[in-house]
């Protein structure tokens, strides 16, 4: 193994490449660890796309930093299952304390209940189930009448969460976003009122702080007022962008979130914590408990304390808080805020390079650490081919998406090992590939 920069970021393999190298069935007899490790290096690593590579700028760029990696080793060594307080008191208590520390860093008010799930998709699904329970109980609504709202830029996890919660797909309203890809509050309120007139029950709105296609920040304060007026549960999806609030000068990203009913941020996206760790907060844990608490005889305990299995779908739970605790303590708020702030500044710098070159066009505002651009005067197909050539170099990995039917390249900055020199080199690679032969290796890669 050698330095991470010597590996191609995007695995230069075709589907089935690893499968072909592996035996069709498992060994009958145990094998020496040296051989297993040799195959890990020789067979598995070549088929790995390196998310921890400083040249990884696809999707949302993430980092698993050394303190978090060490904590993952310890978690595996302890191998606890945090279903009940009693099944590992340290895990339940560390989870509550660590999430309360993070709540304070985010500038959220005291009294919010925090719980760790695996991903933001799971967190959002739990928010929607909580909202559903509240609406069914308090408003005597029928499931088929419940309506959920989000912008046309919201992550697909909102739809998936609604579907999982039993909300009919026809009751998911996509509110058109404005020219900067933010949800338009007046259109939200008009849609809510139209549904109310039609006898439907608006029960949940999801606002996004850092949308997936362009990192737009929805106007949460205005959305919170509408939600309060119409008794709708407001869930804020800050999976990536919400974490910028730990930077004193960037608190604005979570403005209005204190008026929401729930919030998700993903430390595994932008807080140097290895995948997976999603932090979910709500003012109403009682609705989650009502939806999910089901205690069979063999799980009854006497202690009057929180049993986290009561607040979600899963019974068994990993000791995830340990890695967040290690990362928060090792870097401190100053250290983590400095990294996030630096990423945002580099994104501004990159955006200025895009704007300075008449061949390119900036395709969305840059509120966080993420730049959307494309080559002017080229078709979507030509821009896609350009992206494929860039990724085929192995030096960097970017993803693409369409913004109002226009194909754009997405450049995300979020890895703690990325330096300004990396960004400069990445920009050189990007420019050098504008005109070149058709790529042979890679096909389209869409945002997660
Ligand atoms: C805004 C937003 N919300 C939710 C998600 C889903 O995140 P997860 O992979 O943790 O489910 C993403 C993924 O990138 C996202 O960008």
């Amino acid at each position: 193994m050698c330095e991470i920069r010597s590996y191609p970021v995007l695995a230069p393999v075709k589907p089935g490449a690893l499968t072909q190298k592996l035996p069709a069935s498992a060994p009958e007899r145990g094998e020496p660890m040296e051989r297993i490790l040799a195959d890990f290096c020789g067979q598995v690593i070549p088929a790995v796309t390196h998310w921890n590579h400083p040249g990884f700028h696809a999707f949302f760029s993430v980092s698993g930093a050394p303190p978090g990696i060490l904590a993952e080793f310890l978690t595996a060594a302890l191998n606890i299952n945090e279903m009940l307080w009693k099944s590992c008191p340290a895990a339940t208590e560390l989870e509550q304390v660590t999430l309360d520390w993070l709540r304070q860093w985010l500038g959220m008010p005291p009294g919010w209940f925090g719980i760790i799930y695996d991903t933001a998709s799971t967190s959002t699904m739990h928010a929607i189930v909580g909202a559903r329970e509240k609406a069914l109980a308090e408003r005597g609504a029928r499931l088929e009448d419940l309506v959920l709202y989000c912008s046309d830029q919201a992550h697909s996890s909102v739809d998936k969460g609604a579907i999982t919660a039993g909300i009919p797909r026809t009751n998911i309203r996509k509110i058109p976003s404005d020219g900067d890809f933010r949800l338009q509050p007046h259109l939200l309120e008009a849609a809510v009122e139209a549904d109310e007139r039609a006898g439907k029950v608006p029960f949940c709105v999801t606002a996004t702080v850092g949308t997936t296609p362009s990192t737009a920040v929805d106007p949460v304060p205005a959305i919170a007022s509408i939600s309060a007026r119409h008794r709708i549960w407001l869930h804020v999806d800050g999976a990536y962008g919400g974490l910028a609030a730990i930077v004193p000068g960037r608190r604005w990203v979570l403005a209005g979130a204190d008026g929401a009913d729930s919030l998700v941020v993903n430390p595994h996206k932008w807080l140097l914590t290895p995948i997976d760790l999603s932090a979910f907060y709500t003012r109403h844990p009682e609705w989650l408990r009502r939806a999910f608490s089901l205690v069979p005889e063999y799980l009854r305990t006497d202690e009057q304390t929180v049993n986290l299995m009561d607040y979600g779908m899963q019974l068994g739970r990993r000791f995830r808080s340990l890695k967040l605790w290690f990362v928060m303590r090792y870097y401190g708020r100053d250290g983590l805020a400095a990294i996030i702030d630096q990423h945002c500044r580099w994104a501004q710098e990159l955006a200025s390079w895009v704007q300075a070159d008449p061949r390119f066009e900036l395709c969305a505002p840059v509120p966080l650490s993420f730049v959307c651009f494309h080559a002017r005067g080229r078709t979507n197909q030509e821009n896609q081919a350009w992206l494929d050539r860039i990724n085929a170099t192995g030096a960097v990995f970017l993803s693409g998406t369409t913004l109002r039917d226009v194909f754009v390249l997405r450049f995300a900055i979020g890895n703690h090992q990325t330096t300004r020199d990396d960004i400069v080199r990445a920009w050189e690679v990007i420019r050098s590939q504008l005109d070149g032969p058709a790529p042979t290796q890679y096909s389209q890669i869409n945002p997660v």
Side-chain angles (χ1 to χ4, degrees):
M1 299 248 196
C2 32
E3 213 273 325
I4 182 85
R5 283 183 175 77
S6 66
Y7 290 89
V9 191
L10 177 61
V13 294
K14 291 206 161 67
L18 175 60
T19 313
Q20 278 167 14
K21 291 187 191 159
L22 300 175
S25 36
E28 290 297 323
R29 299 224 175 95
E31 297 181 70
M33 187 51 75
E34 299 77 52
R35 202 182 315 150
I36 300 170
L37 285 174
D39 286 347
F40 171 72
C41 295
Q43 299 182 336
V44 177
I45 289 289
V48 166
T49 290
H50 290 283
W51 285 68
N52 245 3
H53 193 297
F56 188 106
H57 300 292
F59 313 128
F60 280 125
S61 168
V62 302
S63 286
I69 296 168
L70 174 60
E72 282 284 44
F73 273 117
L74 298 175
T75 298
L78 294 172
N79 200 32
I80 66 97
N81 189 337
E82 181 199 0
M83 47 196 189
L84 300 163
W85 174 85
K86 195 172 197 156
S87 68
C88 186
T92 300
E93 294 187 20
L94 198 65
E95 181 159 336
Q96 306 273 274
V97 169
T98 310
L99 287 190
D100 198 57
W101 288 2
L102 182 59
R103 175 195 63 72
Q104 293 170 43
W105 283 8
L106 293 169
M108 293 293 287
W112 283 52
F113 170 85
I115 184 167
I116 294 173
Y117 298 122
D118 54 359
T119 58
S121 304
T122 303
S123 293
T124 294
M125 185 273 284
H126 282 86
I128 295 170
V129 170
R132 180 196 70 189
E133 287 301 295
K134 189 167 188 288
L136 293 178
E138 287 186 350
R139 300 169 70 181
R142 295 179 312 167
L143 188 59
E144 59 268 33
D145 289 333
L146 299 182
V147 184
L148 176 140
Y149 306 80
C150 59
S151 94
D152 56 13
Q153 303 293 308
H155 192 263
S156 54
S157 55
V158 177
D159 301 61
K160 277 198 186 182
I163 292 164
T164 310
I167 307 305
R169 282 181 194 220
T170 47
N171 287 7
I172 301 172
R173 306 269 184 270
K174 297 288 170 74
I175 306 300
S177 51
D178 65 13
D180 288 340
F181 309 103
R182 296 170 306 186
L183 187 147
Q184 302 188 71
H186 69 284
L187 296 184
L188 169 67
E189 188 147 36
V192 165
E193 285 171 357
D195 279 324
E196 285 172 342
R197 280 194 300 276
K200 297 279 189 191
V201 180
F203 84 106
C204 185
V205 180
T206 297
T208 311
V209 169
T211 60
T212 318
S214 74
T215 69
V217 177
D218 285 339
V220 177
I223 298 169
S225 308
I226 295 168
S227 304
R229 268 200 297 284
H230 295 269
R231 298 169 64 200
I232 305 174
W233 181 300
L234 171 58
H235 174 60
V236 175
D237 177 357
Y240 149 75
L243 287 162
I246 74 164
V247 184
R250 301 189 188 274
R251 276 260 161 95
W252 61 268
V253 292
L254 283 185
D258 53 348
D261 297 282
S262 56
L263 164 73
V264 58
V265 294
N266 269 11
H268 79 221
K269 282 202 191 326
W270 210 7
L271 210 63
L272 277 54
T273 309
I275 291 171
D276 49 2
L277 197 155
S278 180
F280 177 75
Y281 294 94
T282 178
R283 285 196 282 150
H284 315 291
E286 67 278 13
W287 295 110
L288 288 182
R289 229 186 119 85
R290 187 173 154 131
F292 291 109
S293 181
L294 198 157
V295 187
E297 199 57 47
Y298 46 85
L299 290 174
R300 290 241 156 85
T301 54
D302 298 332
E303 294 81 16
Q304 294 301 308
T305 185
V306 171
N307 292 317
L308 290 170
M309 68 166 194
D310 288 334
Y311 298 87
M313 185 53 217
Q314 41 179 149
L315 168 62
R317 314 184 80 249
R318 299 181 63 229
F319 192 177
R320 291 196 182 89
S321 58
L322 194 67
K323 56 187 169 181
L324 182 57
W325 190 60
F326 268 46
V327 168
M328 291 177 78
R329 292 193 56 190
Y330 184 82
Y331 291 95
R333 198 243 284 248
D334 281 356
L336 291 164
I339 291 169
I340 290 178
D341 195 46
Q342 185 66 79
H343 291 163
C344 295
R345 287 170 195 275
W346 285 335
Q348 288 299 330
E349 209 176 348
L350 176 60
S352 72
W353 300 339
V354 171
Q355 285 175 307
D357 191 325
R359 293 174 301 165
F360 308 124
E361 183 176 16
L362 196 63
C363 300
V366 182
L368 297 166
S369 69
F370 181 97
V371 183
C372 281
F373 60 98
H374 69 176
R376 280 180 204 275
R378 309 276 173 127
T379 64
N380 283 355
Q381 219 178 359
E382 286 166 339
N383 272 293
Q384 173 71 66
W386 176 35
L387 173 64
D388 290 344
R389 282 195 299 279
I390 293 165
N391 289 338
T393 65
V396 291
F397 177 28
L398 274 61
S399 51
T401 191
T402 50
L403 291 174
R404 308 219 199 289
D405 297 330
V406 174
F407 186 82
V408 300
L409 284 68
R410 307 161 73 255
F411 191 112
I413 305 172
N415 185 293
H416 77 289
Q417 293 191 86
T418 301
T419 63
R420 187 176 175 280
D421 283 350
D422 287 312
I423 311 270
V424 171
R425 270 194 298 275
W427 184 233
E428 280 166 11
V429 171
I430 290 167
R431 283 185 309 165
S432 72
Q433 297 300 318
L434 182 57
D435 293 298
T440 49
Q441 256 169 334
Y442 304 109
S443 56
Q444 178 167 354
I445 291 145
N446 289 316
V448 280

